[in-house]
Amino acid sequence: MSHDCLFCKIARHEIPAKVVHEDDEFIAFHDINPAAPVHLLLIPKRHIASLADIAPQDGEWLARMLRLVPRLAFENGANPLPEGGFRLVANAGIEGGQEVDHLHFHILGGARPWNKRAAPAA
Ligand code: 5GP
Ligand code: ZN
């Protein structure tokens, strides 16, 4: 737990967020500045700075976190495979584009017609 970490504060419900999933270990919410029609952030409630801080004993909860990704994507508007799908992004460090130093997965989905291999418009 980190007292001045933004995502720890969201995990403790001290800062409001549009929460789409919460359990003992994880919380997922809408990104405040979405980069796609579906843009969720999935975080462990326990403070961990980034993927670079994962230890060997973290394998089991990390696998549980990964298994949430497709479920949350499809429950929150990502279109079914194969035409739909989702993107998982985890930034680490300044050159990795990380702005909030609490591990988070970006889950992106929805129609993005500017993609090279976009599904034809309906
Ligand atoms: P990063 O650049 O660290 O990988 O991603 C941080 C993400 O957090 C950004 O996409 C940004 O829009 C999002 N973000 C920053 N502050 C807040 C906030 O207060 N609430 C929510 N829901 N998202 C935030
Ligand atoms: Zn934190």
Side-chain angles (χ1 to χ4, degrees):
M1 181 157 97
S2 175
H3 283 287
D4 49 7
C5 167
L6 175 66
F7 285 174
C8 281
K9 287 180 180 166
I10 287 179
R12 295 195 298 263
H13 297 277
E14 291 170 13
I15 289 181
K18 288 160 85 178
V19 173
V20 298
H21 171 86
E22 179 167 12
D23 60 39
D24 289 348
E25 296 179 293
F26 310 108
I27 186 164
F29 49 93
H30 287 273
D31 194 293
I32 206 166
N33 184 22
V38 179
H39 189 169
L40 304 175
L41 299 172
L42 170 61
I43 68 170
K45 288 184 170 177
R46 184 167 71 84
H47 182 84
I48 173 164
S50 81
L51 272 184
D53 298 281
I54 296 293
Q57 62 270 27
D58 292 325
E60 290 195 5
W61 68 257
L62 196 57
R64 287 194 289 277
M65 188 173 170
L66 278 168
R67 289 181 59 233
L68 278 173
V69 172
R71 198 187 113 190
L72 292 176
F74 294 126
E75 280 178 3
N76 289 281
N79 295 310
L81 293 168
E83 289 83 5
F86 59 86
R87 177 177 292 182
L88 173 62
V89 174
N91 299 326
I94 292 170
E95 291 188 349
Q98 186 176 13
E99 291 175 3
V100 180
D101 289 333
H102 180 130
L103 174 66
H104 51 282
F105 287 170
H106 295 258
I107 303 170
L108 300 138
R112 278 167 292 165
W114 54 91
N115 278 358
K116 270 187 236 155
R117 199 170 155 239

